[in-house]
Amino acid sequence: MTKVFHEKDGNLDFLKGKTIGIIGYGNQGRAQALNLRDSDQVVIIGNRDDIYKERAILDGFETYTISEATKKSDILFLLISDEIMTDVLKKEIKPYLEKKHKLVFASGYTIAFDLLKTPSFVDVLLIAPRMIGVGVREKYLTNEGFYSFISIHNDASGKTQETLLALCKALGTLKKGAIEVTFKQEAVLDLFNEQAFGPAFGQVLLNSIYTLIDAGYPPEAVLVEMYMSEEMAYTYEKMSKIGLVKQTNLHSNTSQYGAMSRGIKYQKLPFKRIMKKILENIESGSFAKEWDSKITKAKYKIIKFFAMKTKINRLEKMVRENLKLKEFDFEELSKPAAKDILQELESIKEEIKAFEDFFYEY
Ligand code: NDP
């Protein structure tokens, strides 16, 4: 049986006298720091000298450099981006680690795929919220809590489990439930959702949209019907609260019959075969290796550029204007592809062309 921990399983006494250092005051960092402080914990912040640090000061926290915060803390929450975790840990944290330290990760990625090594004399824990930072804070304030995946990678002190559950309680995740997994399982589940379900769902949505638009339906009505009304968001919420199939009872009989009788037409599509390949690629560490390489970073920039130039973005712009909705501009995304990026990708130019064609279609 998978272990799931709740409020009664955590005891805050295990955190008495401990200072918690939050490394990185970003999305998760800010939310988790505020939750821990509201649960009467002593919290300090370690961040580079920039706007995030200013935010922490405005929120009333004592802030330090990452190395200083490491020295002053007993428990360190590593809430910096996964891409720079290895580098920051090596240069700014590892040299100051002592036996007293416990390292808490919010993602199993770097440990699961051997991108960093932690010293054997420190406890290494995972508390990975299944929730964006803003939600971690909101669900704490509303007392609902949020799910987390939790794990212990190294139990040097022999008391890591008690600390882990106490921290979960202070963060507010035990109100909903903390589910025990391994670091690798957490990382794979996260990547699989992003790489298998996410893009498949995107393709289903885009194909639905263009089937209707090509048949002459007004774009405003199509986009509202497919996602802008937020009806799908409600349905998703009901799936989680009532059940994937059971929630269909909230829809009309016509809707239920239509959906259930037509679902069978998709039965033979090779979703599972493609998804199994994606899963194997993640589990074997091939994806982590690919993402870690220099050429992939350049490839990512150019793919993102193509994606931002797709037809749906132009269509949305027109629809949003007509519906009097705010337009969000992500400046760096609209910059033209720099020639030097393309030069870097000369060796994989056919692959890049395939991405350009793929995004051009939509
Ligand atoms: P953010 O991108 O919001 O924050 C990143 C933090 O890293 C900022 O404080 C940033 O500070 C700091 N940072 C970036 N570059 C450097 C650098 N070179 N040196 C030092 N500090 C740096 O990250 P998230 O909060 O999204 O993610 C943090 C962790 O939480 C990750 O492990 C992620 O996988 C995990 N997680 C995230 C979730 C989410 O919804 N976002 C959900 C669950 C887990 P500055 O800009 O000042 O350098």
Side-chain angles (χ1 to χ4, degrees):
M1 271 290 262
T2 308
K3 281 192 196 153
V4 183
F5 298 95
H6 297 285
E7 201 64 2
K8 63 170 176 37
D9 299 312
N11 181 351
L12 294 184
D13 289 348
F14 288 104
L15 302 178
K16 267 196 189 134
K18 306 280 183 223
T19 298
I20 302 176
I22 300 287
I23 305 300
Y25 202 70
N27 289 313
Q28 288 293 332
R30 178 168 194 259
Q32 297 195 23
L34 293 170
N35 289 6
L36 291 167
R37 185 172 68 183
D38 286 352
S39 296
D40 298 325
Q41 302 308 310
V42 180
V43 181
I44 62 169
I45 310 296
N47 203 93
R48 291 196 298 194
D49 212 355
D50 64 5
I51 187 168
Y52 284 80
K53 187 170 182 171
E54 283 168 27
R55 185 87 198 260
I57 294 169
L58 279 177
D59 286 337
F61 286 106
E62 282 180 26
T63 62
Y64 301 93
T65 62
I66 292 178
S67 305
E68 279 303 313
T70 302
K71 286 186 225 163
K72 286 180 185 292
S73 305
D74 304 287
I75 299 168
L76 281 176
F77 277 66
L78 302 173
L79 299 176
I80 50 179
S81 330
D82 295 318
E83 300 100 270
I84 46 109
M85 187 78 81
T86 307
D87 215 34
V88 172
L89 191 85
K90 193 168 153 201
K91 292 185 188 138
E92 298 176 62
I93 298 176
K94 251 183 170 175
Y96 310 100
L97 287 179
E98 298 168 38
K99 259 182 144 180
K100 66 169 182 173
H101 281 111
K102 294 174 195 307
L103 300 180
V104 185
F105 288 82
S107 152
Y109 188 84
T110 46
I111 297 267
F113 297 113
D114 285 331
L115 299 173
L116 59 79
K117 291 261 174 287
T118 49
S120 58
F121 58 85
V122 296
D123 295 340
V124 181
L125 300 64
L126 174 74
I127 306 176
R130 287 1 249 168
M131 183 59 73
I132 57 170
V134 179
V136 163
R137 182 62 183 152
E138 276 174 17
K139 300 278 179 190
Y140 177 92
L141 291 171
T142 56
N143 245 348
E144 285 168 84
F146 51 90
Y147 287 114
S148 284
F149 292 165
I150 61 169
S151 192
I152 295 173
H153 175 65
N154 195 40
D155 184 11
S157 67
K159 291 186 191 137
T160 314
Q161 179 78 357
E162 291 88 339
T163 312
L164 174 64
L165 294 177
L167 289 170
C168 285
K169 184 167 185 154
L171 280 171
T173 181
L174 291 188
K175 289 220 160 67
K176 194 77 159 197
I179 301 169
E180 191 177 80
V181 294
T182 64
F183 271 61
K184 177 112 183 226
Q185 285 171 336
E186 189 279 335
V188 171
L189 287 169
D190 195 35
L191 294 173
F192 181 81
N193 196 0
E194 291 158 3
Q195 295 177 26
F197 175 72
F201 178 70
Q203 286 307 303
V204 169
L205 201 50
L206 284 168
N207 274 289
S208 309
I209 289 168
Y210 288 120
T211 301
L212 292 167
I213 293 206
D214 293 350
Y217 289 86
E220 287 76 1
V222 171
L223 296 199
V224 165
E225 179 66 38
M226 296 312 303
Y227 64 99
M228 284 172 71
S229 66
E230 295 179 23
E231 192 185 8
M232 267 315 284
Y234 274 102
T235 301
Y236 227 88
E237 193 185 324
K238 297 298 173 205
M239 280 185 205
S240 102
K241 294 215 155 91
I242 300 172
L244 197 67
V245 177
K246 282 185 187 158
Q247 61 79 29
T248 54
N249 285 300
L250 304 177
H251 302 259
S252 71
N253 288 332
T254 318
S255 154
Q256 289 185 51
Y257 170 71
M260 287 168 187
S261 63
R262 281 359 184 219
I264 204 165
K265 293 189 186 299
Y266 298 96
Q267 193 185 19
K268 295 259 171 342
L269 285 182
F271 281 123
K272 218 165 164 190
R273 187 165 51 77
I274 299 172
M275 288 175 171
K276 224 174 137 215
K277 280 222 149 64
I278 292 175
L279 181 62
E280 282 163 8
N281 178 268
I282 297 169
E283 285 178 332
S284 68
S286 296
F287 172 76
K289 206 162 155 211
E290 178 184 331
W291 179 228
D292 204 33
S293 81
K294 200 164 165 256
I295 196 163
T296 304
K297 298 293 186 305
K299 183 170 140 187
Y300 164 56
K301 276 192 194 150
I302 207 86
I303 295 178
K304 195 160 168 178
F305 174 76
F306 294 146
M308 291 302 140
K309 295 283 163 205
T310 52
K311 202 160 72 176
I312 190 70
N313 284 3
R314 295 195 293 278
L315 193 76
E316 258 184 346
K317 191 171 167 47
M318 185 192 82
V319 166
R320 294 182 75 87
E321 263 169 31
N322 207 4
L323 296 177
K324 310 226 174 326
L325 295 172
K326 186 173 172 237
E327 183 66 27
F328 290 88
D329 270 324
F330 295 95
E331 204 205 324
E332 83 277 14
L333 304 182
S334 52
K335 277 188 198 149
K339 280 210 179 74
D340 51 341
I341 299 181
L342 280 172
Q343 265 164 16
E344 272 181 62
L345 296 168
E346 186 59 24
S347 62
I348 52 163
K349 75 173 180 221
E350 274 170 34
E351 193 189 341
I352 294 303
K353 179 81 180 72
F355 280 115
E356 186 172 10
D357 294 346
F358 170 70
F359 285 110
Y360 182 76
E361 210 180 316
Y362 295 105

mmCIF file of all heavy atoms in Angstrom, residues 24-29 47-48 50 52 66 79-82 84-85 88 106-107 129 131-133, ligand 1:
data_model
loop_
_atom_site.group_PDB
_atom_site.id
_atom_site.type_symbol
_atom_site.label_atom_id
_atom_site.label_comp_id
_atom_site.label_asym_id
_atom_site.label_seq_id
_atom_site.Cartn_x
_atom_site.Cartn_y
_atom_site.Cartn_z
ATOM 1 N N GLY A 24 16.387 30.654 -2.600
ATOM 2 C CA GLY A 24 15.612 31.003 -3.803
ATOM 3 C C GLY A 24 14.225 31.484 -3.419
ATOM 4 O O GLY A 24 13.401 30.697 -2.966
ATOM 5 N N TYR A 25 14.000 32.807 -3.594
ATOM 6 C CA TYR A 25 12.698 33.380 -3.213
ATOM 7 C C TYR A 25 11.842 33.584 -4.461
ATOM 8 O O TYR A 25 11.358 34.673 -4.740
ATOM 9 C CB TYR A 25 12.937 34.704 -2.464
ATOM 10 C CG TYR A 25 11.772 35.121 -1.581
ATOM 11 C CD1 TYR A 25 11.467 34.417 -0.433
ATOM 12 C CD2 TYR A 25 10.995 36.235 -1.894
ATOM 13 C CE1 TYR A 25 10.409 34.787 0.375
ATOM 14 C CE2 TYR A 25 9.941 36.624 -1.091
ATOM 15 C CZ TYR A 25 9.652 35.888 0.042
ATOM 16 O OH TYR A 25 8.599 36.262 0.849
ATOM 17 N N GLY A 26 11.701 32.498 -5.265
ATOM 18 C CA GLY A 26 10.884 32.568 -6.491
ATOM 19 C C GLY A 26 9.465 32.112 -6.216
ATOM 20 O O GLY A 26 8.925 32.356 -5.134
ATOM 21 N N ASN A 27 8.879 31.418 -7.186
ATOM 22 C CA ASN A 27 7.486 30.956 -7.077
ATOM 23 C C ASN A 27 7.259 30.113 -5.834
ATOM 24 O O ASN A 27 6.411 30.417 -5.002
ATOM 25 C CB ASN A 27 7.120 30.106 -8.306
ATOM 26 C CG ASN A 27 6.993 30.955 -9.540
ATOM 27 O OD1 ASN A 27 6.349 31.993 -9.521
ATOM 28 N ND2 ASN A 27 7.618 30.521 -10.615
ATOM 29 N N GLN A 28 8.016 29.009 -5.736
ATOM 30 C CA GLN A 28 7.860 28.127 -4.581
ATOM 31 C C GLN A 28 8.477 28.736 -3.334
ATOM 32 O O GLN A 28 7.931 28.616 -2.233
ATOM 33 C CB GLN A 28 8.513 26.760 -4.860
ATOM 34 C CG GLN A 28 7.763 25.899 -5.847
ATOM 35 C CD GLN A 28 6.414 25.429 -5.319
ATOM 36 O OE1 GLN A 28 6.207 25.280 -4.104
ATOM 37 N NE2 GLN A 28 5.477 25.216 -6.211
ATOM 38 N N GLY A 29 9.638 29.389 -3.502
ATOM 39 C CA GLY A 29 10.373 29.928 -2.361
ATOM 40 C C GLY A 29 9.534 30.867 -1.522
ATOM 41 O O GLY A 29 9.433 30.729 -0.302
ATOM 42 N N ASN A 47 19.256 34.451 -1.176
ATOM 43 C CA ASN A 47 18.969 34.749 -2.593
ATOM 44 C C ASN A 47 20.024 35.685 -3.132
ATOM 45 O O ASN A 47 20.658 36.435 -2.382
ATOM 46 C CB ASN A 47 17.585 35.402 -2.741
ATOM 47 C CG ASN A 47 16.994 35.222 -4.132
ATOM 48 O OD1 ASN A 47 16.256 34.266 -4.361
ATOM 49 N ND2 ASN A 47 17.324 36.088 -5.070
ATOM 50 N N ARG A 48 20.184 35.663 -4.464
ATOM 51 C CA ARG A 48 21.084 36.638 -5.092
ATOM 52 C C ARG A 48 20.533 38.027 -4.845
ATOM 53 O O ARG A 48 19.356 38.204 -4.539
ATOM 54 C CB ARG A 48 21.150 36.393 -6.599
ATOM 55 C CG ARG A 48 21.846 35.120 -6.968
ATOM 56 C CD ARG A 48 22.215 35.118 -8.412
ATOM 57 N NE ARG A 48 21.051 35.193 -9.291
ATOM 58 C CZ ARG A 48 21.113 34.927 -10.595
ATOM 59 N NH1 ARG A 48 22.252 34.588 -11.139
ATOM 60 N NH2 ARG A 48 20.047 35.015 -11.357
ATOM 61 N N ASP A 50 18.969 40.754 -5.950
ATOM 62 C CA ASP A 50 18.147 41.278 -7.035
ATOM 63 C C ASP A 50 16.706 41.476 -6.587
ATOM 64 O O ASP A 50 16.427 41.513 -5.390
ATOM 65 C CB ASP A 50 18.230 40.376 -8.280
ATOM 66 C CG ASP A 50 17.654 38.990 -8.029
ATOM 67 O OD1 ASP A 50 17.108 38.780 -6.933
ATOM 68 O OD2 ASP A 50 17.737 38.138 -8.911
ATOM 69 N N TYR A 52 14.128 39.557 -6.464
ATOM 70 C CA TYR A 52 13.567 38.518 -5.594
ATOM 71 C C TYR A 52 13.959 38.796 -4.138
ATOM 72 O O TYR A 52 13.176 38.604 -3.218
ATOM 73 C CB TYR A 52 14.080 37.131 -5.978
ATOM 74 C CG TYR A 52 13.447 36.553 -7.233
ATOM 75 C CD1 TYR A 52 13.879 36.934 -8.491
ATOM 76 C CD2 TYR A 52 12.433 35.612 -7.148
ATOM 77 C CE1 TYR A 52 13.319 36.397 -9.637
ATOM 78 C CE2 TYR A 52 11.861 35.066 -8.285
ATOM 79 C CZ TYR A 52 12.308 35.464 -9.532
ATOM 80 O OH TYR A 52 11.748 34.937 -10.669
ATOM 81 N N ILE A 66 23.427 33.228 -0.467
ATOM 82 C CA ILE A 66 23.093 31.800 -0.346
ATOM 83 C C ILE A 66 24.058 31.107 0.626
ATOM 84 O O ILE A 66 23.642 30.328 1.481
ATOM 85 C CB ILE A 66 23.098 31.133 -1.748
ATOM 86 C CG1 ILE A 66 21.921 31.705 -2.558
ATOM 87 C CG2 ILE A 66 23.032 29.616 -1.657
ATOM 88 C CD1 ILE A 66 21.788 31.211 -3.978
ATOM 89 N N LEU A 79 15.085 25.857 -3.316
ATOM 90 C CA LEU A 79 13.976 26.249 -4.194
ATOM 91 C C LEU A 79 14.454 27.141 -5.342
ATOM 92 O O LEU A 79 13.877 28.187 -5.636
ATOM 93 C CB LEU A 79 12.871 26.911 -3.364
ATOM 94 C CG LEU A 79 12.300 25.963 -2.298
ATOM 95 C CD1 LEU A 79 11.281 26.647 -1.421
ATOM 96 C CD2 LEU A 79 11.702 24.718 -2.933
ATOM 97 N N ILE A 80 15.548 26.704 -5.931
ATOM 98 C CA ILE A 80 16.067 27.387 -7.118
ATOM 99 C C ILE A 80 15.774 26.516 -8.337
ATOM 100 O O ILE A 80 15.471 25.327 -8.191
ATOM 101 C CB ILE A 80 17.591 27.669 -6.990
ATOM 102 C CG1 ILE A 80 18.327 26.400 -6.574
ATOM 103 C CG2 ILE A 80 17.833 28.775 -5.990
ATOM 104 C CD1 ILE A 80 19.806 26.569 -6.439
ATOM 105 N N SER A 81 15.880 27.103 -9.528
ATOM 106 C CA SER A 81 15.551 26.354 -10.744
ATOM 107 C C SER A 81 16.448 25.123 -10.857
ATOM 108 O O SER A 81 17.630 25.175 -10.505
ATOM 109 C CB SER A 81 15.755 27.228 -11.979
ATOM 110 O OG SER A 81 15.516 28.574 -11.668
ATOM 111 N N ASP A 82 15.867 24.035 -11.376
ATOM 112 C CA ASP A 82 16.607 22.774 -11.473
ATOM 113 C C ASP A 82 17.868 22.900 -12.335
ATOM 114 O O ASP A 82 18.880 22.251 -12.065
ATOM 115 C CB ASP A 82 15.694 21.672 -12.027
ATOM 116 C CG ASP A 82 14.551 21.379 -11.058
ATOM 117 O OD1 ASP A 82 14.812 21.320 -9.844
ATOM 118 O OD2 ASP A 82 13.408 21.242 -11.511
ATOM 119 N N ILE A 84 20.036 25.220 -12.581
ATOM 120 C CA ILE A 84 21.228 25.810 -11.960
ATOM 121 C C ILE A 84 21.526 25.185 -10.585
ATOM 122 O O ILE A 84 22.472 25.560 -9.907
ATOM 123 C CB ILE A 84 21.085 27.353 -11.829
ATOM 124 C CG1 ILE A 84 19.710 27.737 -11.270
ATOM 125 C CG2 ILE A 84 21.297 28.046 -13.148
ATOM 126 C CD1 ILE A 84 19.749 28.247 -9.900
ATOM 127 N N MET A 85 20.708 24.210 -10.201
ATOM 128 C CA MET A 85 20.838 23.585 -8.877
ATOM 129 C C MET A 85 22.241 23.002 -8.650
ATOM 130 O O MET A 85 22.867 23.243 -7.620
ATOM 131 C CB MET A 85 19.787 22.482 -8.763
ATOM 132 C CG MET A 85 19.682 21.869 -7.395
ATOM 133 S SD MET A 85 18.768 22.912 -6.272
ATOM 134 C CE MET A 85 17.076 22.516 -6.697
ATOM 135 N N VAL A 88 24.919 25.836 -8.247
ATOM 136 C CA VAL A 88 24.763 26.618 -7.004
ATOM 137 C C VAL A 88 25.103 25.742 -5.790
ATOM 138 O O VAL A 88 25.791 26.179 -4.863
ATOM 139 C CB VAL A 88 23.327 27.198 -6.886
ATOM 140 C CG1 VAL A 88 23.100 27.842 -5.534
ATOM 141 C CG2 VAL A 88 23.057 28.198 -8.013
ATOM 142 N N ALA A 106 12.457 20.306 -3.804
ATOM 143 C CA ALA A 106 11.038 20.385 -4.204
ATOM 144 C C ALA A 106 10.807 19.637 -5.505
ATOM 145 O O ALA A 106 9.694 19.604 -6.027
ATOM 146 C CB ALA A 106 10.608 21.839 -4.360
ATOM 147 N N SER A 107 11.885 19.075 -6.035
ATOM 148 C CA SER A 107 11.792 18.284 -7.254
ATOM 149 C C SER A 107 12.862 17.195 -7.175
ATOM 150 O O SER A 107 13.989 17.450 -6.736
ATOM 151 C CB SER A 107 12.043 19.209 -8.456
ATOM 152 O OG SER A 107 12.590 18.478 -9.514
ATOM 153 N N PRO A 129 5.525 19.810 -3.982
ATOM 154 C CA PRO A 129 4.104 20.143 -4.064
ATOM 155 C C PRO A 129 3.547 19.847 -5.450
ATOM 156 O O PRO A 129 4.226 20.071 -6.449
ATOM 157 C CB PRO A 129 4.073 21.657 -3.805
ATOM 158 C CG PRO A 129 5.389 21.996 -3.222
ATOM 159 C CD PRO A 129 6.353 20.988 -3.757
ATOM 160 N N MET A 131 1.442 21.548 -6.994
ATOM 161 C CA MET A 131 0.733 22.837 -6.991
ATOM 162 C C MET A 131 1.728 23.947 -7.314
ATOM 163 O O MET A 131 2.864 23.898 -6.840
ATOM 164 C CB MET A 131 0.164 23.040 -5.572
ATOM 165 C CG MET A 131 -0.673 24.264 -5.348
ATOM 166 S SD MET A 131 -2.112 24.348 -6.398
ATOM 167 C CE MET A 131 -3.175 23.120 -5.684
ATOM 168 N N ILE A 132 1.300 24.926 -8.120
ATOM 169 C CA ILE A 132 2.173 26.066 -8.380
ATOM 170 C C ILE A 132 2.316 26.893 -7.088
ATOM 171 O O ILE A 132 1.484 26.766 -6.177
ATOM 172 C CB ILE A 132 1.633 26.950 -9.529
ATOM 173 C CG1 ILE A 132 0.210 27.454 -9.233
ATOM 174 C CG2 ILE A 132 1.685 26.222 -10.847
ATOM 175 C CD1 ILE A 132 -0.272 28.514 -10.190
ATOM 176 N N GLY A 133 3.348 27.734 -7.049
ATOM 177 C CA GLY A 133 3.652 28.486 -5.832
ATOM 178 C C GLY A 133 2.470 29.275 -5.287
ATOM 179 O O GLY A 133 2.161 29.212 -4.083
HETATM 180 P P1 NDP B 1 11.598 30.111 -9.826
HETATM 181 O O1 NDP B 1 12.065 30.165 -11.224
HETATM 182 O O2 NDP B 1 10.331 30.775 -9.481
HETATM 183 O O3 NDP B 1 12.684 30.651 -8.822
HETATM 184 C C1 NDP B 1 13.972 30.345 -9.047
HETATM 185 C C2 NDP B 1 14.813 30.900 -7.934
HETATM 186 O O4 NDP B 1 16.124 30.535 -8.298
HETATM 187 C C3 NDP B 1 14.733 32.391 -7.777
HETATM 188 O O5 NDP B 1 14.797 32.749 -6.434
HETATM 189 C C4 NDP B 1 15.996 32.821 -8.519
HETATM 190 O O6 NDP B 1 16.480 33.974 -7.915
HETATM 191 C C5 NDP B 1 16.944 31.698 -8.215
HETATM 192 N N1 NDP B 1 18.025 31.636 -9.199
HETATM 193 C C6 NDP B 1 17.937 31.542 -10.544
HETATM 194 N N2 NDP B 1 19.164 31.504 -11.105
HETATM 195 C C7 NDP B 1 20.041 31.567 -10.076
HETATM 196 C C8 NDP B 1 21.457 31.521 -9.999
HETATM 197 N N3 NDP B 1 22.217 31.367 -11.090
HETATM 198 N N4 NDP B 1 22.018 31.607 -8.781
HETATM 199 C C9 NDP B 1 21.278 31.705 -7.671
HETATM 200 N N5 NDP B 1 19.922 31.733 -7.676
HETATM 201 C C10 NDP B 1 19.321 31.654 -8.858
HETATM 202 O O7 NDP B 1 11.580 28.530 -9.439
HETATM 203 P P2 NDP B 1 10.372 27.668 -8.916
HETATM 204 O O8 NDP B 1 9.915 28.203 -7.614
HETATM 205 O O9 NDP B 1 9.395 27.460 -10.011
HETATM 206 O O10 NDP B 1 11.096 26.265 -8.684
HETATM 207 C C11 NDP B 1 11.886 26.004 -7.552
HETATM 208 C C12 NDP B 1 11.887 24.493 -7.310
HETATM 209 O O11 NDP B 1 10.553 24.078 -7.053
HETATM 210 C C13 NDP B 1 12.377 23.692 -8.523
HETATM 211 O O12 NDP B 1 13.082 22.578 -8.038
HETATM 212 C C14 NDP B 1 11.072 23.227 -9.156
HETATM 213 O O13 NDP B 1 11.211 22.047 -9.892
HETATM 214 C C15 NDP B 1 10.208 22.994 -7.903
HETATM 215 N N6 NDP B 1 8.765 23.026 -8.106
HETATM 216 C C16 NDP B 1 8.190 24.069 -8.784
HETATM 217 C C17 NDP B 1 6.828 24.106 -8.945
HETATM 218 C C18 NDP B 1 6.175 25.270 -9.636
HETATM 219 O O14 NDP B 1 4.968 25.217 -9.811
HETATM 220 N N7 NDP B 1 6.867 26.315 -10.024
HETATM 221 C C19 NDP B 1 5.953 23.042 -8.420
HETATM 222 C C20 NDP B 1 6.653 22.060 -7.647
HETATM 223 C C21 NDP B 1 8.012 22.058 -7.523
HETATM 224 P P3 NDP B 1 17.140 35.138 -8.787
HETATM 225 O O15 NDP B 1 16.298 35.367 -9.968
HETATM 226 O O16 NDP B 1 17.205 36.213 -7.808
HETATM 227 O O17 NDP B 1 18.444 34.618 -9.185
#
